Amino acid sequence: MARKSIKGSHNRPYAFYDDKLHEQIIKEERIELLMEDALANQEFIVYLQPKVNLMTEQIIGAEALVRWQRPNGKMITPNDFIPLFEKNGFIKQLDFYIYEQVFGYLRKRMDEGKSVVPISVNVSGVHINDEQFVPNLTDLLNQYQIPPRMIELELTESIFIGALDELIKTLNKLKDAGFIFSIDDFGSGYSSLNLLRHLPIDIMKLDKCFFDAANITKITPKEKAVLSNIIRLGKDLDILVLSEGVETKEQADFLREFGCDLAQGYLFARPMPLAEFNLLLEK
Ligand code: C2E
Ligand code: MG
Ligand code: MG
Ligand code: MG
């Protein structure tokens, strides 16, 4: 087993890295032991983060982001478990659990005659080669009687490195079913501009990395050139552009100036529990 060979290598000069790896494996094994029970015990909860129209600053939608609330009150953030769940396959169950929570939330609001906004959910790349994904998702949507235009599917850039033909087929099926699509984390990694021509994308979510360097009262001419041209590309392709991770007024002003339509970030609101989001909507 991997763990044994790592233990046996403690005397080698790379022991530091081995210790780290060992620690990581122990941590992952512990999480794997917990995850099924955590799902059954409803420890995974949905937070919503508002998306705003940059011109009016009105809430035009929200993104569903999972949180893992341990019985001891400790909150675990997605980056600490999503990569592992993608490796061991558990993400398939977890994502569908989140979709069901979101559909149930919308159904309840609509039944009560309360206001709703479209909600986006994250779609792990793991689903794309799963033939059951499209039928399962559309069945769930029908079960809750949610209009598909209320649901935006966020596909992260890294799923676009697989077989393009399969991907195009899957996305077109979902598109025909009426879902809205966005490319998440656009510009952070593998995105090929060419894909924008072939995939039925409605919204580009610009990764917050565009702002990391520009964190910011001064945006350099290079940063300005890159950002403003990506925004223009989106416009020319008839794709809405949303900037993620907007934290300062300067960033928002800059984005407005360059015609970015939508934004999401701590400047406007952090991800929050459903009840809090409802209060915000009703204000
Ligand atoms: P993402 O889909 O790109 O989500 C945006 C992340 O940026 C969220 O982190 C959000 O809390 C954070 N964020 C929002 N505004 C700001 C800001 O102004 N500044 C900074 N620094 N960060 C901001 P979070 O919630 O920790 O989620 C991390 C990633 O985990 C997500 O990135 C997404 O890829 C993944 N994820 C979250 N929930 C789910 C889920 O239900 N299913 C799947 N498959 N992945 C999920
Ligand atoms: Mg996302
Ligand atoms: Mg993102
Ligand atoms: Mg991200």
Side-chain angles (χ1 to χ4, degrees):
M1 284 291 293
R3 190 152 27 133
K4 219 175 238 159
S5 66
I6 286 162
K7 208 174 168 201
S9 64
H10 268 294
N11 295 330
R12 289 205 229 119
Y14 304 111
F16 171 72
Y17 297 102
D18 285 353
D19 282 351
K20 278 263 175 256
L21 187 59
H22 189 191
E23 234 173 69
Q24 181 64 22
I25 289 169
I26 299 277
K27 192 173 146 200
E28 292 189 353
E29 283 177 351
R30 210 168 29 214
I31 291 182
E32 284 186 309
L33 278 175
L34 295 174
M35 64 192 189
E36 307 261 358
D37 283 346
L39 189 63
N41 296 336
Q42 306 186 318
E43 291 175 22
F44 294 103
I45 44 187
V46 175
Y47 270 38
L48 291 178
Q49 184 179 32
K51 299 178 185 180
V52 301
N53 175 320
L54 262 171
M55 285 303 164
T56 62
E57 298 206 354
Q58 269 180 336
I59 299 176
I60 49 84
E63 175 173 9
L65 294 159
V66 64
R67 297 290 178 264
W68 185 353
Q69 173 109 57
R70 297 287 299 137
N72 63 11
K74 205 179 150 224
M75 190 79 95
I76 313 178
T77 62
N79 292 334
D80 286 335
F81 57 86
I82 299 272
L84 173 64
F85 291 176
E86 292 191 320
K87 216 163 43 176
N88 68 22
F90 187 66
I91 193 69
K92 287 193 187 182
Q93 278 180 71
L94 180 60
D95 271 356
F96 268 91
Y97 177 78
I98 298 298
Y99 304 159
E100 184 152 16
Q101 300 300 305
V102 168
F103 296 175
Y105 163 78
L106 286 172
R107 182 71 267 150
K108 183 158 179 283
R109 293 279 298 175
M110 293 191 290
D111 286 347
E112 290 168 350
K114 305 242 171 81
S115 58
V116 287
V117 287
I119 295 186
S120 63
V121 295
N122 289 284
V123 177
S124 166
V126 173
H127 298 293
I128 293 301
N129 295 318
D130 180 352
E131 293 209 337
Q132 278 308 305
F133 179 68
V134 177
N136 286 347
L137 188 63
T138 45
D139 283 354
L140 195 64
L141 197 77
N142 291 336
Q143 191 188 320
Y144 282 89
Q145 307 226 339
I146 305 295
R149 304 294 300 169
M150 290 297 293
I151 303 297
E152 174 185 325
L153 304 175
E154 296 198 1
L155 305 154
T156 185
E157 263 196 353
S158 54
I159 74 164
F160 299 109
I161 51 178
L164 188 57
D165 287 352
E166 271 310 300
L167 183 64
I168 292 176
K169 239 191 278 168
T170 305
L171 295 202
N172 280 331
K173 271 190 233 159
L174 289 165
K175 187 81 196 173
D176 289 343
F179 291 98
I180 296 175
F181 280 111
S182 53
I183 303 192
D184 204 353
D185 308 324
F186 187 87
S188 66
Y190 302 97
S191 74
S192 153
L193 294 176
N194 193 34
L195 291 176
L196 292 176
R197 292 197 301 137
H198 297 295
L199 297 173
I201 300 296
D202 304 290
I203 299 167
M204 258 160 74
K205 296 191 76 179
L206 301 187
D207 194 76
K208 48 182 175 288
C209 73
F210 284 109
F211 279 124
D212 287 348
N215 194 12
I216 183 176
T217 14
K218 274 206 186 108
I219 297 176
T220 68
K222 271 190 192 169
E223 286 158 352
K224 203 176 254 188
V226 171
L227 255 177
S228 59
N229 279 289
I230 291 183
I231 292 170
R232 192 159 63 220
L233 175 67
K235 299 246 140 181
D236 287 350
L237 291 171
D238 229 352
I239 293 174
L240 281 171
V241 182
L242 179 148
S243 276
E244 296 190 279
V246 177
E247 294 184 359
T248 67
K249 192 175 165 304
E250 287 82 1
Q251 291 170 341
D253 288 343
F254 170 86
L255 289 164
R256 252 189 299 267
E257 186 187 331
F258 284 94
C260 180
D261 310 288
L262 312 171
Q264 184 180 340
Y266 298 163
L267 175 66
F268 308 103
R270 291 191 176 244
M272 62 187 81
L274 300 179
E276 226 173 282
F277 184 75
N278 289 341
L279 291 179
L280 204 62
L281 270 190
E282 281 151 23
K283 253 206 270 180

